[in-house]
Amino acid sequence: MNLDLIIKKSKAIEKTILRVGFECGQSAHFGGALSLTHILSSLFFGLMKHDPLNPRDPHRDRFILSKGHGVLAYIATLYESGYISAAELATFQKDDSKFIAHPVKNLDAGIETSSGSLGQGICFAIGVAEALKRKKSNNRVYVICGDGECNEGSVWEAAMLANKRKLDNFTLFIDKNNFQNDGHCADVLGDLDLKKMFESFGFNAHSVNGHNVKEICNVASLKQNNKKPTVIVCNTIKGYGVSFMENQNDWHHNRLTKKLIENEGLDINVL
Amino acid sequence: MYYDLNPKISKMYARMGPRATYGSSMYTALKENEDFLLLSADLGKACGLDRLKAEFPNQFINCGIAEQNMVAFASGLAREGETVFASSFAPFLSMRASEHVRMNLGYMNEPVVLVAAGSGLSLGFLGNSHFGLEDVSVMRAIPGMTVICPADAGSIPKFIKAAAELKKPVYMRLVGVPGSPIAYEEDYNLEIGKINKVLSKGNDVAIIASGSSVAQSIIASRELEKASISVSVFDCHTIKPLDKNRLQKIFNTFRILITVEEHTLIGGLYSAISEYKNYENFTNKLVGIGIKDTWVKTGSYDFMIKDCGLDGDSIAKRIQAEIKN
């Protein structure tokens, strides 16, 4: 695995998030996108078998962004991978665009599911993992859920079934950035140990620094021979990489203005 | 499995009832198609599917008491090319999991066949918590859904086959109980999306019914015939999409139209046909017979059907009263 490339791409994704989010001229989900840059980069430039030139390849690994509001990071990654063009990227949150604030299923653009309603992508994903097992495919299904998303009961419904069906081709990343829409996760439903919770649901459970691509890739590449699904709880920072956004939940969904960019000296990767 | 009906076979299915007939149909479907999958939210036994669990361990998956996950899980399987049926009772499938239906079968258009066993009033003493009286309203509101309701147990094998062949998102509700009246003693050609004329006795009144109300409307027509009111009965088994061509002909032929359904009058067959009527500016008299906007008194199926005015006698009386008005 080329860690240098993954790190380089993480940075490019971060800058693309900021540029596209700025250029759309509206509020966008910055915080929960910036916490995903290293996970997505590790997946698309390291861990996953996929071919942007053949996005419907039946032998591809499947990626599903269950926390749909991370879309800016997702489309930035698809752009950096070559699934979508700069022109397509520039339509983000424009009228009648295919690329809006939550992913819309678009297999040719590398988007497997429509999401935005939390706790659903993971359920769909285990169906895909079950189907791949039935086809005796060696491909894997990777999913990213948010820690706030784990408030949804359906996440745990899916976890139970993933374990029961022995879906060892299923890897779940939890973007544990500690915030959800209305505040700190611990303040909303308590300080939960998601790693332990998934462990008790029968998962191989790991915890990593979600901004350390070496840790992410090492753990995600571990060969597990116990027929269990895997969860990797990634400790991340909401708004990572932008000082005034980091751990500031106002940046869950907010507008990046020209004034802010100039005042803060942000480098937003203008093409 | 008998798909072609005759009086003997129709009676056999009627005796078995909708859920056992559904179980039998699925047994054949799984046996004949190794790539068919059947999911249940821990209501396998109650949906007449117990035998399948043992016989087809690779094709039958109990997803646990977790309908939301089952619906999306089914959709993931369908995306990868599997033909997937998912069963539970109507409220759990259509209402508890409705947003999962909306996202997966609706927004993403994944071709899963949802089968609500025990819809309408058919779960009798289990009570309102288990009845499927708003399921059509909820499912019909989701773009892209096909909503179907077989008229009797004997029709179910045909519907299972047709729904699998459709390759579209489907919600199928099963109403009636063992011994419910038969709508079709003779065979008929089922085409999803097409209204089927089941009785043609004249042009005074058209009854457009779905599910168990088709057979009850046939019974009503006999009473009405005695009162010299000539009736034709139509089986509108596909509530969405509506058969607009046939409806246009019906509206052009009959002055009085009556809809009958084992479902609330808010959002079901009556609503769908009222919407059509308004859209097309028809001025025919249209009367809806169905469940009023209230929780129903619980009891045996026959008691509730009568109490809700959905038995043949009540339908006939209501139509006579409407004609006088």
Side-chain angles (χ1 to χ4, degrees), chain B residues 172-195:
Chain B
M172 186 189 312
R173 70 195 291 261
L174 307 182
V175 295
V177 294
S180 281
I182 294 166
Y184 294 100
E185 289 202 341
E186 301 296 340
D187 199 44
Y188 70 104
N189 182 38
L190 167 67
E191 200 178 331
I192 291 177
K194 299 283 180 205
I195 287 175

Side-chain angles (χ1 to χ4, degrees), chain B residues 132-186:
Chain B
L133 300 177
E134 312 90 356
D135 52 344
V136 173
S137 325
V138 176
M139 292 293 104
R140 195 169 75 83
I142 297 172
M145 290 297 292
T146 293
V147 181
I148 51 182
C149 185
D152 56 13
S155 296
I156 291 171
K158 288 174 184 288
F159 273 81
I160 293 295
K161 204 162 176 247
E165 285 165 4
L166 202 61
K167 307 274 180 221
K168 285 181 179 174
V170 172
Y171 178 79
M172 186 189 312
R173 70 195 291 261
L174 307 182
V175 295
V177 294
S180 281
I182 294 166
Y184 294 100
E185 289 202 341
E186 301 296 340

Side-chain angles (χ1 to χ4, degrees), chain B residues 192-269:
Chain B
I192 291 177
K194 299 283 180 205
I195 287 175
N196 200 38
K197 194 177 202 176
V198 287
L199 186 86
S200 187
K201 289 278 172 83
N203 291 348
D204 288 343
V205 174
I207 304 180
I208 305 171
S210 75
S212 63
S213 302
V214 176
Q216 297 289 359
S217 297
I218 295 170
I219 294 169
S221 74
R222 288 181 208 133
E223 293 297 313
L224 292 166
E225 206 176 354
K226 287 180 204 161
S228 302
I229 300 166
S230 70
V231 172
S232 289
V233 178
F234 297 88
D235 174 8
C236 189
H237 48 69
T238 307
I239 303 148
K240 187 183 181 180
L242 274 182
D243 182 354
K244 290 178 183 164
N245 288 336
R246 192 62 185 267
L247 276 178
Q248 189 182 28
K249 284 179 195 146
I250 295 170
F251 271 88
N252 282 330
T253 308
F254 298 85
R255 193 179 59 82
I256 301 172
L257 284 82
I258 314 284
T259 63
V260 194
E261 60 196 307
E262 193 179 325
H263 188 274
T264 172
L265 288 165
I266 301 174
L269 178 67

Side-chain angles (χ1 to χ4, degrees), chain A residues 58 60 62 100 102-105 107 111-120 122-128 130-132 134-135 152-154 157-161 164-165 167, chain B residues 34-37 57-82 96 98-104 107-110:
Chain A
R60 71 192 183 281
R62 272 61 161 179
I100 53 170
H102 300 101
V104 181
K105 172 181 155 186
L107 296 179
I111 302 177
E112 302 273 351
T113 61
S114 301
S115 52
S117 170
L118 296 174
Q120 294 216 27
I122 180 175
C123 306
F124 181 91
I126 62 164
V128 174
E130 173 80 27
L132 293 180
R134 292 176 66 80
K135 292 179 196 172
E152 291 283 5
S154 56
E157 293 183 3
M160 283 184 274
L161 192 61
K164 180 68 176 72
R165 301 300 300 170
L167 298 179
Chain B
E34 277 182 13
D35 55 335
F36 277 24
L37 288 174
N58 294 324
Q59 291 166 271
F60 180 92
I61 302 175
N62 184 348
C63 295
I65 311 164
E67 297 79 10
Q68 301 171 57
N69 180 52
M70 176 175 74
V71 166
F73 178 72
S75 304
L77 284 158
R79 164 69 63 79
E80 294 293 330
E82 309 279 358
R96 190 186 196 103
S98 69
E99 204 225 341
H100 285 62
V101 177
R102 179 178 182 265
M103 284 297 287
N104 290 276
Y107 200 22
M108 291 202 279
N109 196 33
E110 304 301 343

